[in-house]
Amino acid sequence: MAAHKPVEWVQAVINRFDEQLPVKASSQSTHTKVSTEHNKECLINISKYKFSLVISGLTNILKNVNNMRIFGEAAEKNLYLSQLIILDTLEKCLAGQQKDCMRLDETMLVKQLLPEICHFIHTYREGNQHAAELRASASGVLFSLSCNNFNAVFSRISTRLQELTVCSEDTVDVHDIELIQYINVDCAKLKRLLQETVFKFKALKKPAQLSVINSLEKAFWNWVENYPDEFTMLYQRPQTDMADCAEKLFDLVDSFAESAKRKAAVWPLQIILLILCPDITQDITQDISREAVEESKVNKKLFLENLRKALAGHGGSKQLTESAAIASVKLCKASTYINWEDHSVIFLLVQSIVMDLKALLFNPAKPFSRGAGSQSADVDLMIDCFVSCFRINPHNNQHFKVCLASSSPPTFHFVLVNSLHRIITNSPLDWWPKIDAVYSYSGELRTMFAETLSRVMQGCSAHAPLRMTPSLTFKEKMTSLKFKEKTTDLDTRSYKYLLLAIVKLIHADPKLMLHNPGKQGQEIQSSTAELITGLVQLVPQASMGEIAQEAMEALLVLHQPETIELWNPDAPIETFWDISSQVLFFICKKLIGHQMINSTEILKWLREILICRNKFLLRNKESATLGSGIPICRQAQTKLEVCLYMFLWSPDMEAVLVAMSCFRHLCEEADIRCGVDEVPVQTILPNYNTFIEFASVSNMMSTGRTALQKRVMALLRRIEHPTAGNTEAWEDTHAKWEHATKLILNHPKTKIEDGQEWINMTGFLCALGGVCLQQRSVPGLATYSPPMGPLSERKGSMISMGSSEGNVETPLSKFLDRLLSLMVCSHEKGLQIRTNVKDLVGLELSPALYPMLFNKLKNSISRFFDAQGPVPINDTNTQFVEQTIAIMKNLLDNHTEGSSEHLGQASIETMMLNLVRYVRILGNMVHAIQIKTKLCQLVEVMMERRDDLSFCQEMKFRNKMVEYLTDWVMGTSNQAADDDVKCLTRDLDQASMEAVVSLLAGLPLQPEEGDGVELMEAKSQLFLKYFTLFMNLLNDCSEVEDDGQQVGGRKRGMSRRLASLRHCTVLAMSNLLNANVDSGLMHSIGLGYHKDLQTRATFMEVLTKILQQGTEFDTLAETVLADRFERLVELVTMMGDQGELPIAMALANVVPCSQWDELARVLVTLFDSRHLLYQLLWNMFSKEVELADSMQTLFRGNSLASKIMTFCFKVYGATYLQKLLEPLLRGVITAPEWQLISFEVDPTRLEATESLEDNQRNLLQITNRFFLAIINSSCEFPPQLRSVCHCLFQVVSQRFPQNSIGAVGSAMFLRFINPAIVSPYEAGILDKKPPPRIERGLKLMSKILQSIANHVLFTKEEHMRPFNDFVKNNFDAARRFFLDIASDCPASDSVNHSLSFISDGNVLALHRLLWNNQEKIGQYLSSNRDHKAVGRRPFDKMATLLAYLGPPEHKPVADTHWSSLNLTSSKFEEFMTRHQVHEKEEFKALKTLNIFYQAGTSKNGNPVFYYITRR
């Protein structure tokens, strides 16, 4: 468009600009501000090409806006803002006008734009806060306009001058003459103005003459300041025509000034006119010494003399003295624009007056003042004087000291500071001295800042406004007027102005305040700290907006990298960390605490500070971390995190985005700091990755508020690591949320904006809660980690944590309780609150809080069922149930990242059953049917997420659910008259059946226990019940379908529903039959031969489905029981990828210790038969080693691992012990030489005839014989036991590497060899007990052997000490033996598995142990941290198998003889092992035939074998 129709396009842009002005647009947000700025830039760019179009468009807009009628304060402010925007745009367009660009159409200018601009300049109302700004802006437009269109403006002035020569005295309107003050004047233009004035001056009316005099002086300064080079040239090459004009005007004005009053009015112009005539000035100044002066110059000379007199105070009138002061200052100021090298005579003139001038203006005893109305003019005069004197001679600093003195009036301080500011900011000429000439005064300036600051802060705290408001409201204006009478308040105001000036000065040149020559590093640091902390205190002062804004700017300048270096040049980086951290800490604390009105602006500024900090750190990359370890640095980082987190729930979208973008700078800082020490960034910012994501999302300017909050919450849920920052942010927000919740509940009329903040806070607490939960239960990490994972972590699992008994009153727990109570809040905003809570908990809650939520919901709903008698049904309870269903459905439906990990940590069975129980009794009202339908949908979703959830007794639970939900299926038994209710019940049928389908998938039916009916029979009846129900439902569907064929239209939807219901029912039947072929096929097969065709067809459909599903019909085989037991053994011995044994270890953890002997037998037998004994031992020993406090306690107690070890030694070591010990023992008992010998070495037990030394020798001799036999038997040592020892050695080495082999020796002697030596008869090695004397010897011998194995000497028993030498000498031999038997593990295939013959007793015992502990195993597995690694499948399979097998056969308790024998009978195994039958060929051949199986035992406890003849 721009190319083809430029005019239309430009017009479109102008219209858009117009529409978005504040006065036209209703609401002002950051977004509209940005687009207004954008429009403005756009117009300025276009004006370079389509100048006239843009200017005329803007002129029209300005006209229209000026003519608008406005009512109310807000509208007035918008009008003023709009005018400022238009004027500013005009000025920039005009300023950018190219020189060669077509001149603006004169008529347009003169008739349209100029009058509008003049309107602002002329209608300057005193006291209107906006008028001054508008006037300044309009004069800027006029200035730009006059650059290229001088003639238009000049003609207006000229015309007015002409009019003023002929008008009457009363109607003098000098407004247009005042335009002279604002226009752009160069040398030529100034000449034209002077010539015009000379031409008309005499004829003008008096007010016009005064106005011209005043305006021309201003025009002169416009020229000098904008074209200083032209003025300087004037003194190098004088221009006669300029001088002529000036001289003529001087004479005219001089003759006009008859009275003192008129003199005072014209002197400032006269001095300037003199300056414009360099030659005349030179003559006069040189001629002052000579008397003769040309006549034409007499008046000039006289003027100068009068001026000097008046300045010295001899002029006779105060008015003249003041005028002389003004004229002198103008002279000094003009002289600074002349180059020294021109040695101009004007400097002599200046020198002759400057001393008097300073004495007049800078006299603390009698400050210069022209009365109350002209205070600011006085100050400006003093500043001009100060700056000019500095430029004339920077080293003459008398007046400097006067102004610095703390005793001087505040005005002097104000002048000093503002003069310095001007010296810094305004220095276009080369010969003007720079500010560094006064750096030496930085100390005094800092003191002035500190004192002024403390005065202002005291003044503020004396009567600070209660609520910080953005602008002074009317009431506050009144109060501030009242205070005016008090001097203190006036002082505070003047101090505020001074403070503002000082802060601006710091902003202009921070080096001025940081200059510290010759001081110590520590001193420099503390002075910088004082300066910066002073500025920081000003930032949150909303009541002093301008000062706060300047303080922020000053701090930004101070944070520029090159300036930070000056904070303390001796130790820049350490100082940076210290001071900058204090800045962050203070600001963030304020931002968190007050929720300041301009907090978003402060946050943006904080972002700039963070950017500067990182720039500085990058410059000093190599040593960026020097001194960053100080506490304030950590505290600042924490506070900053808290602050950014808390802005994330701000209702102001911009604030949220700014906070998110700040996270990037935190990450950059961490990158730099960690780069130095080469550590991962997570050491400083544990949540680095999420922070980076926050930063990248912060560019989503275009999203809506809700979408942004959703994104924020999703990211908050991803924060994994608890830090001081996020915990504190959560707790602070929680406190604010509690407060806000009370407010909303107590004041229902609260505005919805506050509601938005409350919603954001709730979401924030839900999403970030998980991290805080984690923070409370960080488990102690064990140093050593066997393949199973340290127990400490398993124990500190979420189950105990999330349980309601543990830590009841954590803030998190309180928060969730409060949320649940809001789910049923019944106040007029109740619905809104309930909906929000439901959505936020269901969709935004951190998955880590699921277990806690589940438990709280479970407990709340359980309370309905606590009391005896009927369940209380009331609206509140029903509402709670309905909300719970909605939350649970959302929660399970919504696959939040990380949800599957936490869903299974608390069981939801009880809650679900109670929900169903409650909903069952609600009756059949419309609402009740809707709730039932929702509940069915929840059950379906629950089964979809079955793998992530944990069930303690899944089969029992699902059976119960099927029983309840099938009750709700009405079919056509529902005779509701109302069509709507009919529709609802159809929906319920559909939902119930869909839920039942999901529940029945792979579900073995499990009848209630204890009906006295045989298991298969009970299952069969249950199957029949459901199958019949489903068949009836199918019949209903087909009947209704038949009816439906007659009726058209309205029934079509119904028939679609029926088709869907029929499909569900067929699926349900298939699932039911599929999982229960054994008990169900007999009932259902008859349907294939049913007389009704429809029924037969349905049965074929079901049969087809189950065949497609791959139903295992082998459950009908005779061997089904054996197969299932076989699968049970497989499950228990199943091994995970990491070598873990989930089910076996779970069983080991939950079986009560009274049954450990049996469990040890069962596990060793089963695992060995599967060639997995080593894995079992590894897992068991690892657990034991992990729990042991030290080496000394290993395998000493009666733990399951000890029992397993003992059982292994007993079963696999029997033959070896027999071979090893029987000959030795028989030798000792039968050999004649040992018959009378005693081994007693305890002096207290010696008989009189015995000799202690002999006995000791005997004991040593026999011990040595036994010891040698043992250590030389390593080649005979059974391979299975080698495997046990090797495993033990490996496991212990991981935790106690220094003496792991010792553990093997200790355990082997303690659990294996010594028991057999001490009690050979009981161990089955000897046929009868040895005599007591020898028994005593064996016992003492075992002590010595155990000491050798333990690698310790005797210390406690005195009588054993003599054997210490023997013990010590055999340490090494024993150690070699232990290493020999433990160091290499035989391959599992080469080991003979003597137990490959598993007796049924062990399998039945396994079944019983699993059945009785099934629930505990489920809980253990889901709370275990390996839960995710292993998954749910093993446990599910186990539960299904157990459900098929049913409860174990209960043996009568009275028959203890049987059961005890059955439990411990292992004689057969031992017999088979001892004679190594399994090695023999006949045994192997027999085994392959499968013609024997063994079950039970005879009365004597021997195994009973059955011979299967038909094989």
Side-chain angles (χ1 to χ4, degrees), residues 436-472:
D436 46 16
V438 294
Y439 274 2
S440 51
Y441 294 105
S442 65
E444 289 90 327
L445 287 166
R446 275 200 300 270
T447 315
M448 188 193 290
F449 171 62
E451 285 172 2
T452 314
L453 176 72
S454 71
R455 281 188 176 129
V456 170
M457 294 310 261
Q458 277 164 2
C460 282
S461 56
H463 46 258
L466 288 175
R467 174 122 170 83
M468 294 180 175
T469 46
S471 67
L472 282 171

Side-chain angles (χ1 to χ4, degrees), residues 958-972:
R958 279 165 59 190
N959 269 287
K960 202 77 195 148
M961 291 298 265
V962 171
E963 181 189 331
Y964 286 151
L965 295 193
T966 46
D967 285 353
W968 293 348
V969 181
M970 305 291 284
T972 44

